[in-house]
Amino acid sequence: MGEFKHFVIVKFKEGVAVEDLTKGMEKLVSEIDVVKSFEWGQDIESLDVLRQGFTHAFLMTFDKKEDFVAFQSHPNHVEFSTKFSVAIENIVLLDFPSTLVKAPA
Amino acid sequence: MGEFKHFVIVKFKEGVAVEDLTKGMEKLVSEIDVVKSFEWGQDIESLDVLRQGFTHAFLMTFDKKEDFVAFQSHPNHVEFSTKFSVAIENIVLLDFPSTLVKAPA
């Protein structure tokens, strides 16, 4: 069975200190053990029409759905989400069990 | 230096045979060596308001940006993209060098 993924894409409001937020997120995941892996990035390559204004992607991996649920209700996450949500203009979240088709060597 | 990521989120048109497309994508990545890893999933957990109609996420990993560029121009990918694009109602693509903060054990 695959892992459980929490996938977030974001467009930040103008003037937001994005680096503070990404640092905050890095700190957050380092504090919460059930987050198995975390990676993020800022789009540099996609066409504007395909990017639709979104600029940042955040991907968290959990061993199982229950770990994701525990993460969501963790007080540090709840606190961070409040701070994060005021900084964003648009967001899409997708949470799903992952089907791994091709694995890293 | 991190890997290069190609993230796609999709809302399919009604009546589309989604499984044919995901199988097609699995076949595609199996044919193209520069795709280092590929995983995908269908949202089961996010709130409708946060999902914004998107249902599927596709995540590809490449060793470096040049591999992603080679993938994009690969004839099999070009052919698949044509088929894929007629099936989608909405899509967001983000392509970026990944910052790995927390690595799988």
Side-chain angles (χ1 to χ4, degrees):
Chain A
M1 184 51 204
E3 302 160 320
F4 199 88
K5 301 278 177 179
H6 176 50
F7 184 35
V8 182
I9 65 170
V10 169
K11 178 186 183 182
F12 290 105
K13 287 179 185 161
E14 255 184 74
V16 161
V18 174
E19 201 181 323
D20 290 352
L21 291 169
T22 57
K23 292 280 176 217
M25 207 180 293
E26 291 181 3
K27 183 169 173 286
L28 176 71
V29 299
S30 73
E31 292 162 352
I32 305 181
D33 284 345
V34 290
V35 181
K36 187 177 175 186
S37 78
F38 171 57
E39 46 193 324
W40 69 275
Q42 179 172 4
D43 184 285
I44 60 161
E45 191 69 16
S46 186
L47 299 170
D48 281 346
V49 64
L50 294 174
R51 188 190 294 163
Q52 295 196 31
F54 293 98
T55 55
H56 288 72
F58 304 93
L59 179 65
M60 288 184 200
T61 301
F62 302 84
D63 273 329
K64 52 188 187 298
K65 185 181 155 187
E66 290 71 22
D67 288 352
F68 165 66
V69 173
F71 167 74
Q72 280 212 301
S73 60
H74 192 290
N76 295 20
H77 178 250
V78 173
E79 188 189 338
F80 182 80
S81 295
T82 307
K83 202 169 118 183
F84 193 73
S85 60
V86 300
I88 54 178
E89 187 173 320
N90 199 2
I91 187 168
V92 174
L93 272 78
L94 291 176
D95 304 316
F96 55 90
S98 173
T99 301
L100 180 63
V101 178
K102 201 169 180 179
Chain B
M1 184 50 203
E3 303 159 321
F4 198 88
K5 300 279 178 178
H6 177 49
F7 280 3
V8 181
I9 64 170
V10 169
K11 177 186 183 181
F12 290 104
K13 287 179 186 161
E14 256 183 73
V16 161
V18 173
E19 202 182 324
D20 289 353
L21 291 168
T22 56
K23 292 282 176 216
M25 207 180 293
E26 292 181 3
K27 182 169 175 286
L28 175 71
V29 299
S30 73
E31 292 162 351
I32 304 181
D33 284 345
V34 290
V35 181
K36 189 177 174 186
S37 78
F38 171 57
E39 45 193 325
W40 69 275
Q42 178 173 4
D43 184 283
I44 58 160
E45 191 70 15
S46 186
L47 299 170
D48 280 346
V49 64
L50 294 173
R51 187 191 295 164
Q52 294 195 32
F54 293 99
T55 56
H56 288 72
F58 303 94
L59 317 171
M60 286 185 201
T61 302
F62 302 84
D63 272 330
K64 53 187 188 296
K65 184 181 156 184
E66 290 71 21
D67 288 352
F68 166 66
V69 173
F71 167 73
Q72 281 213 300
S73 59
H74 192 289
N76 295 19
H77 178 251
V78 173
E79 189 189 337
F80 182 80
S81 295
T82 308
K83 201 169 118 184
F84 193 73
S85 61
V86 300
I88 55 177
E89 187 172 320
N90 199 2
I91 187 168
V92 175
L93 272 78
L94 290 175
D95 305 316
F96 56 91
S98 173
T99 301
L100 180 64
V101 178
K102 201 170 181 178

